Amino acid sequence: KRTSAMKKEIESRLQCRKNMRLPRRGWPVVILWTLALLFIGSIPPSRGFTTPRLRALQRTSSQRTTQFSPLFATSSKFSPPPFPVRIAVMGGGNFGLALSTVLGRKGIPVTLLVRSTEVANTLNTEHTHPRYMSDINLPNSIRATTDPSAALADATYIIHAVPVQFSRAFLESVKEFIPPGTPILSASKGIETTSLGFMADILRDVLGEERGYAFLSGPSFAREICEGVATAVVIASSDLLLADDLASLMSDDNFRVFTSKDVIGVEIGGAVKNVIALAAGMCEGLGLGTNAMSGLVTRGCAEMRRLGSVFDAKPSTIAGLSGVGDTFGTCFGPLSRNRRFGYRLGEGETMSQILSSTTEVAEGVDTSIALVKMIKKKCKGYRLDLKYPILFGVAAILEGKQTPEDGLRGLMNMPMRMESFEELYG
C-alpha cells in the first residue's frame, strides 16, 4: 500500500510539474526529483511539507494559473512574479508616472490611462510627459492611451493614482471597463469632502466588494522615485497575500515595499500628514525657526495618533512609514506640494492667488476641511479643538476664519497640560 501511495504521489507531482510548464533539464534532474519525492514520502504526514497545490495558491492571491516567462528574467535579489502580468495605471500625474516608472524599469508592460490625446502621443513617441517631470525619460515599456477599454480590459492589476476629490466621478466613468475581480492598488491619499470617506470607502462604493483592494503610502516623492533614489513605502490590504504579491511585483534595489494589514491606519496617516505639512509650510513662511517647526510637526503627529485610536488604527502603523515617516518627508522635503502651499500662505498670499498659479493638486487643502467635519462627526467629547488644535487651526485658516499669525498665537496660548494627556485619562 505504501509503495502504491508513493507511486501515485510521484505521478501527481510530475503532472503538476508538467502543468506548470517548467523547463526540461535532462535525466539527472529527473533522477534527483524522484529521489526527493521518495524522501518526502518517507516523512510522516504530521511532518510533511505543503502540497504542490497549496504552494501554487500561495504564489498569488488571485489564484491565477502560474507559468514562467523569460520576460521576467532578472539578476535582482527580488524574485520576479511567476506569471506574466500587465499593469494599468489610472492617472497620468506625477505619482502615476512614478509608479509606472518603477514597473517599467523591471520590463513589466504598463498602460497609462490619461485624459489628453496630446499627452498620450507625447508619452508614446518621446517617452516623456509634456507637463509633469518633462526632463525625465520614461521606460519604453510604458504606453499611454485615452481609451479605458484598451487600458483596463486585460490588466492583471490596476493602479489608481487619481486625486481623491476626483476619484469617485472618474471611477464611475470607467467602471464598466474594469474586469470583475481585478485587484486595485490605490496610491491616492486624503478624505473625500462630500462623503467624508477614505479611498477604501470610495472604491468599495463604486466598484463593489468582490475584488481585492490595496493601498500604498509612505515617504515617496515622485521625482525621486523616477530618478532611482532609494525609497521605502508600505502597501496595506486586508488580503495580506495580495499585499505580498504587489510588494514582490514592485520592489527592486531602489524601491522597497513593506506590507501591512492595517488599512485604516495607512489611510489616516496618508491624509493627516498633508494637513500637518500645510501647517509646517505656514510656520516656515512666517519666518519661524527650527524649534517651532519641530515642535509643530511633533504635536501634529500626536494628533494623528489620537485620531488613529478613534478608528482603531495600530499605533505602530502611525509610527511607521505611512504615518510619521510620510509626515517627515512631506513637512521637511523641498518637493512637497502641501508644504509649498502652506509656505505661500505664511508669506501672505491668498488662497485664490495660490490656486490660480499652479496646476498641481495640494491634497491637504480639501482634506483639511473634510477632516474637521469627520472629527466632529466621529469623535465624542467637548472642545474637540483642544484635542486637535493643529488640524482645526489649519482648517480655520483655509476657510478664512483666521490668519496664520492668529493660528500660531492660538497654539502658543493653549492651556498648559501634560504632553500626552491620554496618560492621565487613559
Side-chain angles (χ1 to χ4, degrees), residues 11-272:
E11 291 175 351
S12 172
R13 291 172 186 250
L14 289 175
Q15 183 63 37
C16 176
R17 179 176 180 271
K18 180 180 179 181
N19 292 340
M20 291 174 64
R21 301 179 185 178
L22 291 174
R24 299 178 181 273
R25 299 187 183 278
W27 282 107
V29 174
V30 173
I31 294 172
L32 290 174
W33 181 266
T34 304
L35 290 174
L37 292 176
L38 289 172
F39 172 72
I40 292 171
S42 67
I43 298 176
S46 61
R47 295 169 52 199
F49 302 120
T50 56
T51 64
R53 179 177 178 275
L54 180 57
R55 286 200 298 273
L57 291 178
Q58 289 173 340
R59 289 192 182 97
T60 169
S61 61
S62 55
Q63 301 182 12
R64 292 177 178 80
T65 302
T66 58
Q67 61 180 1
F68 293 88
S69 168
L71 173 65
F72 299 104
T74 175
S75 60
S76 171
K77 61 184 178 182
F78 297 100
S79 300
F83 50 87
V85 300
R86 193 185 71 76
I87 307 297
V89 177
M90 301 188 298
N94 284 322
F95 210 66
L97 292 172
L99 295 182
S100 299
T101 299
V102 169
L103 295 162
R105 284 174 178 165
K106 298 181 72 175
I108 298 174
V110 179
T111 302
L112 199 59
L113 180 59
V114 298
R115 292 180 297 175
S116 168
T117 302
E118 178 187 357
V119 169
N121 291 337
T122 303
L123 285 166
N124 291 332
T125 57
E126 301 178 18
H127 304 293
T128 59
H129 196 287
R131 291 197 297 273
Y132 302 130
M133 299 184 292
S134 56
D135 57 319
I136 291 180
N137 292 321
L138 303 173
N140 292 343
S141 58
I142 299 175
R143 307 298 296 174
T145 181
T146 58
D147 181 3
S149 176
L152 305 173
D154 62 341
T156 315
Y157 299 104
I158 296 174
I159 297 177
H160 177 83
V162 177
V164 171
Q165 307 308 328
F166 305 99
S167 288
R168 187 179 295 273
F170 175 82
L171 290 168
E172 289 284 1
S173 69
V174 301
K175 68 178 182 180
E176 63 181 292
F177 304 105
I178 299 178
T182 301
I184 308 289
L185 171 63
S186 172
S188 306
K189 306 171 185 177
I191 301 173
E192 190 178 35
T193 56
T194 53
S195 69
L196 305 183
F198 294 99
M199 274 306 307
D201 303 309
I202 299 171
L203 287 168
R204 289 185 171 90
D205 284 349
V206 179
L207 302 180
E209 299 280 352
E210 301 303 317
R211 71 175 73 243
Y213 296 105
F215 305 86
L216 184 147
S217 191
S220 47
F221 290 121
R223 174 169 287 278
E224 291 189 1
I225 294 174
C226 290
E227 291 174 349
V229 177
T231 301
V233 298
V234 61
I235 290 179
S237 176
S238 57
D239 179 358
L240 196 54
L241 291 176
L242 172 60
D244 288 340
D245 283 347
L246 291 168
S248 298
L249 186 71
M250 301 185 73
S251 290
D252 61 24
D253 294 329
N254 295 317
F255 193 78
R256 178 64 186 271
V257 183
F258 294 87
T259 59
S260 171
K261 293 189 71 174
D262 187 11
V263 171
I264 189 62
V266 166
E267 291 237 75
I268 286 174
V272 176

Side-chain angles (χ1 to χ4, degrees), residues 292-324:
M293 175 85 78
S294 301
L296 179 73
V297 173
T298 304
R299 297 305 301 163
C301 289
E303 294 183 24
M304 179 191 294
R305 184 185 69 248
R306 195 169 298 137
L307 182 63
S309 67
V310 174
F311 288 87
D312 294 325
K314 295 180 180 178
S316 58
T317 303
I318 301 300
L321 288 168
S322 62
V324 172

Side-chain angles (χ1 to χ4, degrees), residues 349-384:
E349 291 188 64
T350 64
M351 285 273 291
S352 58
Q353 289 174 328
I354 300 172
L355 292 173
S356 63
S357 64
T358 181
T359 59
E360 295 184 330
V361 177
E363 285 278 15
V365 176
D366 289 319
T367 296
S368 176
I369 310 299
L371 190 58
V372 168
K373 293 179 180 178
M374 187 182 71
I375 290 173
K376 291 178 178 179
K377 180 180 179 180
K378 301 286 186 180
C379 301
K380 298 179 181 180
Y382 176 69
R383 291 300 303 272
L384 292 172

